């Protein structure tokens, strides 16, 4: 998911390469107009709302709570369709440091 979000950011900052740890404002040079464009593209590509406050408060791809919410929703959908795979994923996540 972070890669997809980083790809959206890269579209805005092309030809610059974007890392999931890059700060939207400080390192990439983002500003309010790009933030609005980013919010629209995230909504279009990932089907999730990215509030401006979240982007301002947490301007790194890897830290955006909206991404976590999206992943949680998709995992919940996957658990309905593939319960064993979901249980395996939860077990693997529990072992992570």
């Amino acid at each position: 998911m972070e890669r997809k979000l980083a790809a959206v950011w890269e579209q805005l900052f092309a030809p610059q390469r974007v890392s999931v740890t890059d700060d939207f404002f400080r390192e990439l040079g983002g500003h309010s107009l790009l933030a609005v464009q980013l919010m629209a593209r995230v909504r279009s590509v990932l089907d999730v709302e990215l509030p401006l406050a979240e982007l301002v408060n947490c301007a790194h791809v890897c830290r955006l709570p909206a991404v976590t919410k999206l992943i949680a929703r998709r995992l919940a959908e996957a658990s309905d369709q593939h319960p064993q795979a979901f249980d395996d994923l939860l077990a693997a996540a529990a072992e992570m440091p």
Side-chain angles (χ1 to χ4, degrees):
M1 192 58 56
E2 288 177 356
R3 288 183 187 162
K4 287 183 180 181
L5 191 52
V8 171
W9 289 33
E10 283 182 340
Q11 292 173 355
L12 290 177
F13 295 104
Q16 185 176 356
R17 188 119 172 102
V18 176
S19 165
V20 296
T21 60
D22 287 342
D23 184 285
F24 182 83
F25 298 101
R26 293 185 185 127
E27 295 169 359
L28 298 173
H31 49 74
S32 60
L33 294 176
L34 282 176
V36 171
Q37 289 179 356
L38 176 66
M39 291 164 45
R41 289 183 188 191
V42 167
R43 181 175 40 252
S44 173
V45 172
L46 300 175
D47 189 33
V48 66
E49 293 294 325
L50 175 60
L52 182 58
E54 285 191 49
L55 180 58
V56 170
N57 291 328
C58 203
H60 300 82
V61 173
C62 63
R63 295 183 183 168
L64 288 171
V67 174
T68 304
K69 291 175 189 174
L70 175 64
I71 291 170
R73 186 177 78 223
R74 292 201 175 150
L75 285 175
E77 293 169 1
S79 72
D80 293 340
Q81 296 171 0
H82 307 286
Q84 184 58 47
F86 183 71
D87 290 342
D88 293 345
L89 179 61
L90 287 178
E95 295 176 5
M96 295 177 80

